[in-house]
Amino acid sequence: MTSNSEIQRIVEEGLCIGCGLCASAFPEDVQMRLAPSGHLRPCESTPLNPEQNVQLKSFCPGVVHSGMPSDKISNPDNIDPTWGPIEKMVTGHSSDPKIRHKAATGGGLTAISLYLLESGQVDGILQVAGGGLKAYFGHSQLSQTREDVINGSGSVYASTSPLEGLLKILDTGVTIALVAKPCDISAVRLLGKKDPRIDRQVKALLTPICGGFFPPFAMENFLKSVGANESDVDSVSYRGEGCPGPTIIRFKNGETITKTYLDFWGTDSSQWYMPWRCRICPDGSGEAADIVSGDTWPNCEPTLEMMEGDLGTNVIIGRTSRGAEIMNAAIKANYLNIEGDAEPRDLDYWQPHLVKKKVTAHARYSGMRSVGQIGLSTIDLRTEELTKHMDSKSYQSELDGTSRRITIGKHDDDFTSPSG
Ligand SMILES: Cc1cc2nc3c(=O)[nH]c(=O)nc-3n(C[C@H](O)[C@H](O)[C@H](O)COP(=O)(O)OP(=O)(O)OC[C@H]3O[C@@H](n4cnc5c(N)ncnc54)[C@H](O)[C@@H]3O)c2cc1C
Ligand code: SF4
Ligand code: SF4
């Protein structure tokens, strides 16, 4: 059954990622809640009016996913056909060995955040730290001290609504850098086309490269599989303390269970659990961000040796001239250590799962439309052009596969099986 509410339709089509920007834009009418599926989802206390729905559809990542708007691109020659705008790309890590060790990979995002805060360019870093409505969720945090930024390092592979408080924070007049996932960054870039507060007060958009996260049912299964009762869990650290470092479940009684990164994710990436919106994501590489930071593992999986003691090296991409300037300044001020240059084809090797999603996105969206969904659109992501990497048989097979999955309900937030 299709709903009259745009927000409900987006949720029903499996396209809401729970970013929270609708709740931030319409705080009187929309609140983020824990849905029966266990995800954070928007709930309308008052139905949005037609004008609000038009506004919603201009930024919501369940409707549209954007790359870099053309007015933010300084040099069109620097657009890689697969990976989008790249002004500067290096491998490196935080200059502080303690941050490098604690952070998700090499602490690149933490180092840049600290540079922006401590050089006085921003009043705070809006980022995601562990915990929230559930112990294993993430929550948005405005970090205004070095300690807060460092405590917020690491990756939260769970539901979180990083944009829920964004506009309320901007209303106080502060300047910030935002660290959020590529879909969240797209939403903020799109909102910025209409709302001047974004360009005026959000001084930098930073993002981790993102392949998706664990849906709540999968996390609950994981906790059960290691003998943990969710109600006894105090916090979960998904990675860090090395690269990738262990997944650590901390209990309220002080005990801990420690597993490896691959115990958590599993070794077969085609069987990874993730929300439908992540599975069909057209851009996990943060094309709309000023700066992107990711892993440099061959084929996007750490080897056994890496899990036992790798120090962590990020690929760091400056996508705008502003992003490249910040990176250069953070290097000069000794926040960031550079190991070497990197090239777009290195990204093909480190992030093959994202190449596949970029190339198949158009076929998948056609599959959505073939079963009556409105589906997702893209802007400035070269989605149609990228289909040239598929022959017509593969295109049709992706289209059919998507429509078949939707027909059996795989797009549903309540669907509980691997995403493949
Ligand atoms: C959901 C998710 C999926 C990912 N998938 C991939 C992938 O496919 N390929 C890849 O190379 N890397 C992936 N990563 C990124 C990787 O885990 C590292 O986060 C990235 O390399 C940055 O490392 P860093 O050392 O610079 O980060 P840090 O210095 O530790 O900083 C991480 C920053 O990200 C913020 N953050 C953490 N979790 C979230 C979240 N859920 N939403 C928004 N912000 C968050 C933190 O607040 C912090 O500011 C993913 C990360 C996440 C959160
Ligand atoms: S994706 Fe974000 S903006 Fe869109 S409906 Fe979900 S929470 Fe709201
Ligand atoms: S995979 Fe895409 S939709 Fe999912 S969290 Fe990452 S950027 Fe957002």
Side-chain angles (χ1 to χ4, degrees):
M1 196 176 60
T2 311
S3 168
N4 286 330
S5 148
E6 275 304 329
I7 286 187
Q8 266 183 46
R9 177 194 62 79
I10 292 160
V11 174
E12 281 168 14
E13 290 195 1
L15 296 175
C16 173
I17 198 65
C19 71
L21 193 54
C22 52
S24 193
F26 315 116
E28 307 290 317
D29 310 307
V30 181
Q31 293 78 39
M32 296 307 289
R33 297 254 193 273
L34 199 57
S37 62
H39 286 277
L40 289 165
R41 292 290 177 255
C43 177
E44 280 164 285
S45 50
T46 319
L48 294 185
N49 64 39
E51 199 185 314
Q52 288 173 314
N53 275 324
V54 170
Q55 234 181 304
L56 169 81
K57 288 194 282 181
S58 70
F59 61 72
C60 167
V63 174
V64 56
H65 193 137
S66 177
M68 191 67 76
S70 51
D71 64 325
K72 308 282 181 214
I73 291 177
S74 34
N75 186 351
D77 290 341
N78 292 346
I79 300 180
D80 180 75
T82 307
W83 296 106
I86 298 176
E87 285 290 314
K88 180 179 177 83
M89 178 152 72
V90 294
T91 54
H93 52 80
S94 166
S95 307
D96 180 334
K98 284 195 193 131
I99 294 175
R100 184 182 188 187
H101 183 67
K102 181 180 181 338
T105 305
L109 289 176
T110 301
I112 291 165
S113 301
L114 284 172
Y115 164 71
L116 288 167
L117 186 68
E118 295 183 338
S119 62
Q121 297 189 41
V122 296
D123 299 317
I125 308 293
L126 187 60
Q127 61 180 152
V128 167
L133 276 183
K134 292 192 172 214
Y136 61 82
F137 277 13
H139 72 281
S140 133
Q141 164 177 303
L142 182 63
S143 300
Q144 293 183 294
T145 65
R146 182 179 181 84
E147 290 66 38
D148 284 349
V149 174
I150 295 173
N151 285 337
S153 67
S155 286
V156 177
Y157 290 127
S159 270
T160 159
S161 298
L163 308 179
E164 191 179 355
L166 175 69
L167 297 179
K168 207 166 162 196
I169 288 169
L170 296 185
D171 282 343
T172 66
V174 294
T175 56
I176 62 164
L178 171 69
V179 190
K181 303 181 302 299
C183 49
D184 308 317
I185 299 290
S186 155
V188 173
R189 258 312 172 211
L190 289 171
L191 184 69
K193 290 184 177 181
K194 305 253 169 63
D195 186 334
R197 284 174 295 181
I198 302 299
D199 275 357
R200 219 169 33 224
Q201 288 171 259
V202 185
K203 300 292 181 187
L205 293 168
L206 315 182
T207 192
I209 287 181
C210 179
F213 58 86
F214 247 43
F217 85 88
M219 190 60 195
E220 281 154 24
N221 286 351
F222 174 72
L223 291 176
K224 271 188 214 141
S225 76
V226 298
N229 264 334
E230 196 191 316
S231 55
D232 298 333
V233 175
D234 181 54
S235 66
V236 176
S237 165
Y238 290 85
R239 60 184 282 183
E241 309 294 335
C243 179
T247 298
I248 305 172
I249 303 161
R250 295 192 171 82
F251 293 91
K252 290 172 186 161
N253 67 4
E255 289 175 8
T256 57
I257 292 180
T258 300
K259 293 283 164 184
T260 68
Y261 179 84
L262 288 181
D263 289 336
F264 177 72
W265 277 104
T267 46
D268 179 358
S269 59
S270 70
Q271 292 301 304
W272 284 350
Y273 293 100
M274 63 179 67
W276 177 253
R277 173 64 178 80
C278 297
R279 183 172 161 69
I280 52 90
C281 186
D283 176 38
S285 75
E287 288 202 25
D290 292 300
I291 299 177
V292 182
S293 174
D295 290 314
T296 51
W297 301 327
N299 209 17
C300 82
E301 273 179 28
T303 58
L304 279 179
E305 297 77 59
M306 284 170 171
M307 290 199 293
E308 276 161 16
D310 193 74
L311 294 174
T313 299
N314 292 110
V315 55
I316 307 173
I317 310 167
R319 291 196 173 279
T320 54
S321 50
R322 166 92 182 123
E325 271 165 30
I326 294 170
M327 283 168 66
N328 287 335
I331 295 163
K332 198 164 166 214
N334 199 28
Y335 283 80
L336 206 54
N337 254 14
I338 296 311
E339 290 188 359
D341 285 331
E343 297 187 357
R345 301 294 65 81
D346 296 325
L347 284 177
D348 299 349
Y349 175 60
W350 294 323
Q351 312 291 339
H353 55 315
L354 300 190
V355 178
K356 180 162 189 233
K357 288 203 269 190
K358 276 174 173 279
V359 167
T360 53
H362 193 276
R364 290 172 169 179
Y365 306 161
S366 300
M368 290 175 179
R369 286 176 195 115
S370 75
V371 288
Q373 288 197 343
I374 294 178
L376 203 60
S377 300
T378 60
I379 306 176
D380 293 325
L381 284 175
R382 307 164 311 285
T383 306
E384 190 161 0
E385 209 179 307
L386 283 166
T387 59
K388 73 174 180 224
H389 296 288
M390 303 175 88
D391 58 27
S392 55
K393 204 170 148 206
S394 323
Y395 186 97
Q396 192 61 41
S397 151
E398 280 299 336
L399 187 159
D400 293 340
T402 303
S403 52
R404 194 174 54 248
R405 288 184 179 98
I406 292 172
T407 313
I408 61 166
K410 271 207 163 185
H411 64 295
D412 205 313
D413 273 347
D414 286 323
F415 199 85
T416 52
S417 81
S419 301

